[in-house]
Amino acid sequence: MGGGVSTACAGMGGYTGYGCLPWAFSEADLDRERVLEMKRRVLAVLTAAVLVLALQTVGRAAGMGSLKLQLVGGGRPIRNAEVVVYRAGTVVVGGYRLTETFGGGFVSEADVLYPELAQWLARDAGEDGLRQRTDDRGEANFGALEEGLYLVTQEGQAGGYGPFEPFVVILPWDGAEWDITAAPKMDRADLDQPETGDPGTLGRGLLGMAWSALALCRLLRKRREYFC
């Protein structure tokens, strides 16, 4: 029938292998239309991808990150553990200015490396942190975190493990990584404690106490609390 109008399509337009149409399209016209439709769909997908990337870039420019905790004990996820994240300090030149909750002092970038810092901050943690319980995978996710210094703790035990030792996290990590995953070491809560009369254990304990005292004195001096 070619590109003409059939009797069945009289008054309606053109006839093709696709039936009567309200206008006279040839087979070539329909092929071009399919190509254009495909291009429109691809363009829509690309536009959506660019928009998502732009939103992520804006979020990074605004200083927003995330922290994912993974708690595992004996090769299995630890469920229903209550973990708390506190924003302990804001970024200043050379380190971090602690929030009022933690005394408002100054912590240098070198101080962050001391494990005693987390223990010291945990004393004043309070109730104002972000709280979550780990899911069936042993994970807890904290999003929309601003740039700064964070304290991470666990309250109570779960699944026979914990709580883990408090630790600190900085965002962005290493100046670039905004999405951090942390898997703190989990110890069983029912492990037998070493006998205090063990000379080796006692010696190591005294050495650790001395080291902690030196690190704490260094930090207190930076906060102008001259107790040491």
Side-chain angles (χ1 to χ4, degrees):
M1 294 185 181
V5 179
S6 70
T7 303
C9 295
M12 295 183 60
Y15 176 85
T16 69
Y18 296 91
C20 296
L21 298 175
W23 51 83
F25 269 178
S26 66
E27 299 287 348
D29 290 331
L30 290 174
D31 289 339
R32 283 194 296 270
E33 184 64 22
R34 283 195 295 268
V35 171
L36 290 175
E37 178 62 23
M38 184 178 296
K39 289 182 178 179
R40 284 192 289 266
R41 292 181 180 180
V42 171
L43 181 60
V45 171
L46 291 177
T47 301
V50 170
L51 180 59
V52 170
L53 180 60
L55 291 175
Q56 291 178 342
T57 302
V58 170
R60 291 294 179 263
M64 306 299 285
S66 67
L67 171 62
K68 179 169 72 173
L69 295 176
Q70 295 179 326
L71 305 189
V72 178
R76 297 181 178 180
I78 300 175
R79 304 176 180 87
N80 204 38
E82 184 175 9
V83 292
V84 192
V85 173
Y86 303 86
R87 191 173 189 227
T90 58
V91 178
V92 294
V93 177
Y96 303 89
R97 178 67 60 186
L98 298 180
T99 64
E100 291 303 317
T101 299
F102 297 97
F106 173 78
V107 174
S108 72
E109 294 176 348
D111 289 330
V112 176
L113 301 178
Y114 286 90
E116 291 79 13
L117 172 62
Q119 296 283 351
W120 181 74
L121 291 174
R123 299 183 315 176
D124 301 320
E127 300 294 327
D128 295 332
L130 302 174
R131 299 171 180 270
Q132 282 194 35
R133 290 189 176 273
T134 53
D135 58 20
D136 289 342
R137 295 174 296 182
E139 296 180 357
N141 294 277
F142 298 85
L145 299 179
E146 299 179 51
E147 182 179 16
L149 174 69
Y150 288 86
L151 170 69
V152 186
T153 67
Q154 178 184 345
E155 294 195 356
Q157 305 171 5
Y161 286 85
F164 57 74
E165 291 293 327
F167 63 95
V168 295
V169 170
I170 57 175
L171 283 175
W173 180 258
D174 201 22
E177 182 57 55
W178 284 93
D179 300 305
I180 297 176
T181 298
K185 183 178 181 294
M186 304 299 297
D187 292 322
R188 288 201 61 86
D190 57 357
L191 288 178
D192 293 334
Q193 298 298 319
E195 296 182 6
T196 56
D198 181 356
T201 301
L202 181 60
R204 289 191 296 272
L206 291 175
L207 181 60
M209 290 174 62
W211 176 259
S212 298
L214 288 174
L216 182 58
C217 285
R218 182 169 180 267
L219 183 59
L220 290 175
R221 284 199 298 271
K222 289 180 176 296
R223 293 186 59 201
R224 300 180 181 178
E225 297 180 6
Y226 298 99
F227 298 125
C228 303

